[in-house]
């Protein structure tokens, strides 16, 4: 399959980042806006796997080149946000907060910040609002996956390339099951507690941990592998399926909240919604036309910078004890968009 540019994917990115920003802005209507990260995970799995497969088909895949491109894509903008956050942290933070902050700068740049924050705070706790690099946890999970996944692809392709889809489905399945039921695991045979709970998560499958999250990225990879076979064609049901996916995402943003366990089977709602759009959206469909609106595509293009800048900006304003009304919030979002655009244009 020719993995051509799909503007609707950038529109989907825009929907994801807008929901995250408005969630962190504290707007009650967007109480489930944090699922934007789950949308990003699926999109990222789809795009990166598509790139790997495209290079393999051209006999042009090199693991060193893959890691180099990932570093050039992620690190420059991330370094800018670390510098930006460091300046304001030195001005606003006390010595104890600075110790935690500079620890997070190291963990963010070396992609293990999710593990650090797992040991420090609950994502939804008030105290987490004062950690300017908290949002880098999702980048760390993605990079942890992409350190291992290309090596797995190379190994499987050298043995039997048809096994890649099956292997990725198994990764998806076991990671999802771990997210839902890891608390039921036992060290003794038969390795499950006798009284199984429908939801029982261990410390290793909580919000920031990769083991119960990898299935989301794997789901995006499955989408890329399916589309590579060219078995999907537009039919009378495709627009209804993509519309269903969009509705699932909207339900997630406006209905889900911090009161739902994440990651768990609930996370399937935005994740499957995203997968359905990736798989069944064609150019003339309603959802495709919606997501291809120019402003959404543009916001999708700068979504990485938007994601990086919005959280520290909100954090430092809250740390300054400035009362955030709707006028202040509008100005903060405007500043976020301006800085993100400049970062996208000159750094990314």
């Amino acid at each position: 399959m020719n993995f051509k540019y799909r503007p609707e994917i950038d529109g989907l990115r825009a929907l994801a980042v807008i929901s995250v920003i408005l969630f962190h802005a504290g707007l009650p209507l967007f109480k489930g806006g944090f699922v934007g990260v789950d949308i990003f995970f699926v999109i990222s799995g789809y795009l990166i796997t598509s790139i790997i497969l495209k290079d393999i088909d051209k006999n042009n895949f090199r693991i060193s080149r893959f890691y180099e491109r990932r570093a050039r894509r992620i690190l420059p903008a991330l370094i800018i946000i670390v510098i930006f956050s460091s300046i304001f942290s030195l001005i606003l933070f006390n010595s104890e907060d600075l110790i935690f902050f500079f620890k997070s700068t190291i963990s963010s740049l070396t992609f293990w910040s999710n593990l650090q924050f797992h040991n420090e705070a609950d994502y939804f706790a008030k105290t987490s609002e004062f950690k300017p690099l908290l949002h880098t946890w999702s980048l760390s999970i993605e990079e942890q996956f992409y350190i291992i996944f290309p090596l797995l692809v190379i190994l499987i392709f050298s043995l039997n390339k048809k096994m890649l889809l099956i292997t990725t489905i198994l990764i998806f399945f076991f990671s999802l099951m771990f997210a839902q039921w890891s608390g039921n695991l036992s060290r003794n045979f038969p390795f499950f507690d006798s009284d199984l709970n429908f939801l029982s998560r261990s410390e290793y499958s909580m919000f920031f941990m990769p083991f119960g999250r990898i299935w989301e990225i794997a789901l995006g990879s499955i989408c890329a592998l399916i589309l590579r076979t060219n078995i999907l064609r537009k039919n009378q049901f495709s627009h209804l399926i993509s519309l269903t996916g969009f509705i699932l995402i909207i339900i997630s943003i406006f209905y889900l909240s911090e009161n739902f366990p994440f990651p768990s089977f609930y996370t399937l709602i935005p994740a499957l919604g995203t997968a359905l759009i990736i798989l069944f959206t064609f150019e003339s469909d309603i959802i495709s036309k919606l997501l291809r609106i120019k402003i959404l595509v543009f916001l999708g293009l700068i979504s990485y910078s938007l994601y990086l800048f919005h959280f520290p900006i909100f954090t430092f304003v809250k740390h300054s004890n400035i009362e955030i009304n709707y006028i202040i919030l509008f100005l903060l979002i405007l500043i976020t968009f301006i800085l993100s655009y400049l970062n996208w244009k000159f750094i990314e």
Side-chain angles (χ1 to χ4, degrees):
M1 178 183 177
N2 180 24
F3 293 107
K4 63 180 181 179
Y5 171 64
R6 296 176 60 182
E8 67 271 17
I9 300 299
D10 275 324
L12 196 54
R13 277 174 162 169
L15 183 62
V17 77
I18 290 170
S19 67
V20 171
I21 291 173
L22 295 181
F23 168 74
H24 286 144
L27 298 183
L29 183 62
F30 293 86
K31 59 185 178 181
F34 60 89
V35 303
V37 174
D38 302 290
I39 297 170
F40 275 128
F41 281 153
V42 180
I43 293 174
S44 184
Y46 163 70
L47 291 175
I48 293 299
T49 305
S50 297
I51 291 170
I52 292 173
L53 294 175
K54 180 181 178 181
D55 285 347
I56 287 176
D57 287 340
K58 293 181 177 180
N59 198 27
N60 192 35
F61 180 74
R62 300 292 182 272
I63 191 69
S64 58
R65 184 165 172 263
F66 172 82
Y67 289 144
E68 178 191 353
R69 286 194 300 189
R70 290 302 298 164
R72 293 176 65 179
R73 171 73 178 96
I74 297 296
L75 284 176
L78 182 57
I79 291 171
I80 290 297
I81 206 64
V82 166
I83 295 172
F84 171 86
S85 299
S86 297
I87 293 171
F88 284 94
S89 294
L90 287 169
I91 297 172
L92 296 172
F93 286 3
N94 59 38
S95 57
E96 184 179 354
D97 289 336
L98 278 175
I99 292 173
F100 284 103
F101 169 74
F102 283 113
K103 183 180 177 182
S104 71
T105 64
I106 296 171
S107 63
S108 298
L109 292 172
T110 52
F111 305 118
W112 58 274
S113 63
N114 60 316
L115 304 179
Q116 176 193 338
F117 292 126
H118 172 73
N119 294 322
E120 285 186 6
D122 183 342
Y123 178 78
F124 298 105
K126 274 290 182 183
T127 53
S128 295
E129 295 179 355
F130 300 98
K131 296 179 181 292
L133 297 179
L134 179 79
H135 60 322
T136 64
W137 72 270
S138 62
L139 299 180
S140 294
I141 286 182
E142 286 190 18
E143 296 312 308
Q144 288 159 14
F145 180 79
Y146 293 129
I147 288 172
I148 300 172
F149 188 67
L151 299 174
L152 182 65
V153 171
I154 292 173
L155 175 62
I156 293 174
F157 262 68
S158 65
L159 298 174
N160 185 350
K161 63 178 66 177
K162 294 180 181 179
M163 288 296 296
L164 183 58
L165 178 58
I166 296 173
T167 303
T168 309
I169 290 174
L170 289 175
I171 293 172
F172 165 84
F173 176 79
F174 285 113
S175 174
L176 177 59
M177 295 305 105
F178 189 83
Q180 183 76 11
W181 288 318
S182 60
N184 285 313
L185 293 176
S186 171
R187 294 184 179 181
N188 301 317
F189 184 83
F191 308 115
F192 279 91
D193 292 335
S194 56
D195 51 338
L196 295 179
N197 295 313
F198 177 72
L199 172 67
S200 181
R201 297 181 298 164
S202 68
E203 180 184 358
Y204 301 104
S205 61
M206 299 305 284
F207 195 90
F208 292 113
M209 298 299 280
F211 311 108
R213 290 283 190 180
I214 292 302
W215 67 267
E216 299 179 74
I217 305 175
L219 179 59
S221 297
I222 291 169
C223 291
L225 291 164
I226 291 174
L227 290 175
R228 185 172 185 264
T229 65
N230 288 314
I231 61 173
L232 295 180
R233 293 286 189 274
K234 184 176 181 180
N235 55 56
Q236 65 268 35
F237 300 109
S238 59
H239 67 285
L240 290 177
I241 297 174
S242 63
L243 178 60
T244 300
F246 186 78
I247 291 172
L248 288 175
I249 290 174
I250 296 302
I251 289 173
S252 302
I253 294 171
F254 295 116
Y255 176 70
L256 296 179
S257 72
E258 61 185 83
N259 297 320
F260 290 83
F262 262 70
S264 69
F265 284 171
Y266 286 108
T267 318
L268 280 167
I269 303 174
L272 284 179
T274 305
L276 291 178
I277 289 176
I278 291 173
L279 289 172
F280 293 98
T281 297
F282 297 88
E283 282 193 29
S284 58
D285 292 341
I286 296 174
I287 298 304
S288 178
K289 290 179 179 179
L290 174 64
L291 294 176
R292 286 171 178 248
I293 294 174
K294 288 185 178 180
I295 184 62
L296 285 181
V297 173
F298 172 71
L299 292 178
L301 290 172
I302 67 171
S303 60
Y304 178 47
S305 288
L306 283 170
Y307 183 76
L308 286 178
F309 269 98
H310 84 281
F311 196 78
I313 288 174
F314 289 164
T315 293
F316 293 127
V317 170
K318 291 174 183 176
H319 203 282
S320 302
N321 294 319
I322 297 174
E323 183 181 350
I324 301 180
N325 54 35
Y326 285 109
I327 295 176
I328 296 295
L329 182 58
F330 172 78
L331 291 175
L332 292 179
I333 292 176
L334 180 61
I335 291 170
T336 299
F337 276 84
I338 293 172
L339 291 177
S340 300
Y341 171 73
L342 294 174
N343 193 61
W344 170 74
K345 188 171 181 63
F346 297 106
I347 303 298
E348 283 193 59

